[in-house]
Amino acid sequence: MGLPGRVLPAIWPGLLVLSAHLIDLVEWTLTATLPESFTSHQVTHSPVLTGATLAGALTLLGLTFRPRSPVPYLLVAVAVLSHIPLDMLSFREGLARLYGVTTPDDGPPGLRASLTAEAWLFGLLFVAVTLTQAALHPRLRPATRRFTWVLLGLSVIAALTRVAVVWAPFYVIALTHGFLVRRSDYAPRLLWSLVPVLPLLLLLAVEVRAARTESQALRLQTAGRLAEALALHRQALAAPARSSKTGIYVHMSLCYRDLGDYRQAEECLLRAEMTSELPEWPRVTRAQLYVYPKTRGTPFFRPEEAERILSEMRDSGRSKRYAEIARFHIDRLRRQGILPPG
């Protein structure tokens, strides 16, 4: 028997948040339970899996709450499908650039950078909506209304700094003010909307822990403590996190390279290329491995293979950014005499 119809409005905000991240949750579950069969963004990039996720969400909505209006179904569908453009690599890279984040090691933005940029942009939108609703509240005093508009303006100015220690406090103050202005409009039962968000908090906790482990590994790697760094890289790789493993594989390959284990370094990069939504990053790193000075005299010194990889990247037209990177490396290797003149 479905829940009473009056329950749906109480949990509706949290349900929409869950719907917007439902694909994240499905991908996390699949990569955690079937890591050999599913990659981190496979559902996002698969129309069939995305459609199945959407159908499951709408079916569960109908069986649980039995809404008579098509509006709840439409809103859930929009929330689920909104994940696709927002989770595309091009969007995440563009948002990181808009926020002023430079991507490390020619790779995609990291988890911390992505979360910060998303909190900056979507937090500002949330602040704008909240304060606008508060300012238009019919029972608001004129002085409080003016303060609300001023606070909105200050929040926008703080956001333009793109400095978290500046905009984050303004966001908190603004949202607190908006809540206090409209506190009489909020019913205690709206706290039930937090229930659908709980799985997302678990997912976030796992992602943050994996990211912290990888950050610690990178610090050890920078300090030259390669064996310890590799151990932490493996922990981060084994964590049931949804975020891309590409960076972990690339950094592991650099550890193995510096330890002289070129076979393992190559295997890490090949694995990264097979599972990455940005295969150009591990590919250019593999080309660099094949011309690494210490590989001379080993089967892994393959300048012809490096030239082939870089030339394909330069001429493929898939990414202007990586075409420029490939062109730079080809020119450098020719100047060094490792590759023949073009």
Side-chain angles (χ1 to χ4, degrees):
M1 182 176 179
L3 293 176
R6 59 187 175 83
V7 174
L8 182 57
I11 69 169
W12 187 243
L15 193 61
L16 284 181
V17 172
L18 176 63
S19 299
H21 295 277
L22 185 61
I23 291 179
D24 284 331
L25 201 59
V26 171
E27 288 178 335
W28 176 52
T29 303
L30 291 175
T31 53
T33 56
L34 301 168
E36 297 300 323
S37 302
F38 290 92
T39 57
S40 57
H41 294 276
Q42 193 164 339
V43 177
T44 302
H45 298 153
S46 169
V48 174
L49 294 177
T50 298
T53 301
L54 177 59
L58 296 179
T59 301
L60 188 60
L61 175 67
L63 293 176
T64 306
F65 299 103
R66 300 179 181 177
R68 297 179 180 179
S69 169
V71 174
Y73 295 100
L74 180 61
L75 291 177
V76 167
V78 170
V80 171
L81 296 178
S82 70
H83 171 87
I84 297 175
L86 296 181
D87 201 48
M88 291 177 65
L89 179 62
S90 57
F91 175 83
R92 287 184 281 129
E93 287 186 327
L95 180 56
R97 286 194 298 270
L98 181 64
Y99 185 63
V101 174
T102 55
T103 55
D105 300 323
D106 300 327
L111 177 64
R112 179 178 297 180
S114 295
L115 290 178
T116 303
E118 289 177 12
W120 168 71
L121 177 62
F122 297 116
L124 180 61
L125 296 177
F126 190 30
V127 165
V129 171
T130 301
L131 290 185
T132 299
Q133 289 180 331
L136 298 178
H137 197 282
R139 295 190 298 273
L140 200 63
R141 296 177 180 177
T144 306
R145 179 173 286 108
R146 287 193 295 270
F147 174 77
T148 303
W149 289 122
V150 169
L151 186 56
L152 176 56
L154 292 175
S155 298
V156 172
I157 294 173
L160 292 175
T161 67
R162 298 185 296 184
V163 178
V165 295
V166 176
W167 57 258
F170 273 96
Y171 286 11
V172 172
I173 294 171
L175 293 174
T176 302
H177 173 74
F179 172 78
L180 292 176
V181 166
R182 301 190 61 204
R183 61 186 181 276
S184 60
D185 298 335
Y186 298 128
R189 64 176 184 162
L190 287 177
L191 292 175
W192 284 104
S193 66
L194 297 176
V195 174
V197 182
L198 294 179
L200 298 178
L201 296 179
L202 176 60
L203 170 59
L204 180 61
V206 172
E207 295 286 347
V208 169
R209 182 174 181 179
R212 291 183 63 182
T213 301
E214 179 62 8
S215 296
Q216 187 178 356
L218 290 176
R219 287 194 295 270
L220 291 173
Q221 188 169 343
T222 302
R225 298 162 63 179
L226 301 179
E228 296 173 73
L230 271 175
L232 288 180
H233 282 313
R234 293 190 191 100
Q235 286 184 28
L237 192 63
R242 173 187 168 273
S243 54
S244 174
K245 309 291 187 184
T246 303
I248 302 176
Y249 279 121
V250 170
H251 294 127
M252 285 180 69
S253 77
L254 297 178
C255 273
Y256 282 121
R257 183 202 67 182
D258 293 342
L259 288 170
D261 192 342
Y262 305 125
R263 184 176 302 280
Q264 286 288 350
E266 182 186 45
E267 288 182 3
C268 284
L269 294 172
L270 290 172
R271 179 67 176 172
E273 289 179 38
M274 289 189 295
T275 60
S276 176
E277 60 179 336
L278 185 68
E280 288 83 2
W281 182 21
R283 194 167 295 153
V284 74
T285 308
R286 184 159 62 93
Q288 291 173 311
L289 173 66
Y290 294 151
V291 293
Y292 185 59
K294 292 185 179 180
T295 60
R296 285 184 181 272
T298 75
F300 295 94
F301 186 71
R302 308 172 193 165
E304 297 84 2
E305 179 71 5
E307 183 178 22
R308 183 190 65 79
I309 293 171
L310 294 172
S311 297
E312 286 180 357
M313 292 177 58
R314 179 195 60 192
D315 302 332
S316 68
R318 285 188 54 185
S319 169
K320 291 183 179 179
R321 175 186 174 193
Y322 278 94
E324 289 298 322
I325 292 173
R327 187 175 294 109
F328 167 80
H329 284 298
I330 291 173
D331 292 342
R332 177 179 60 84
L333 294 172
R334 284 174 177 166
R335 288 195 303 269
Q336 294 174 348
I338 297 176
L339 297 181

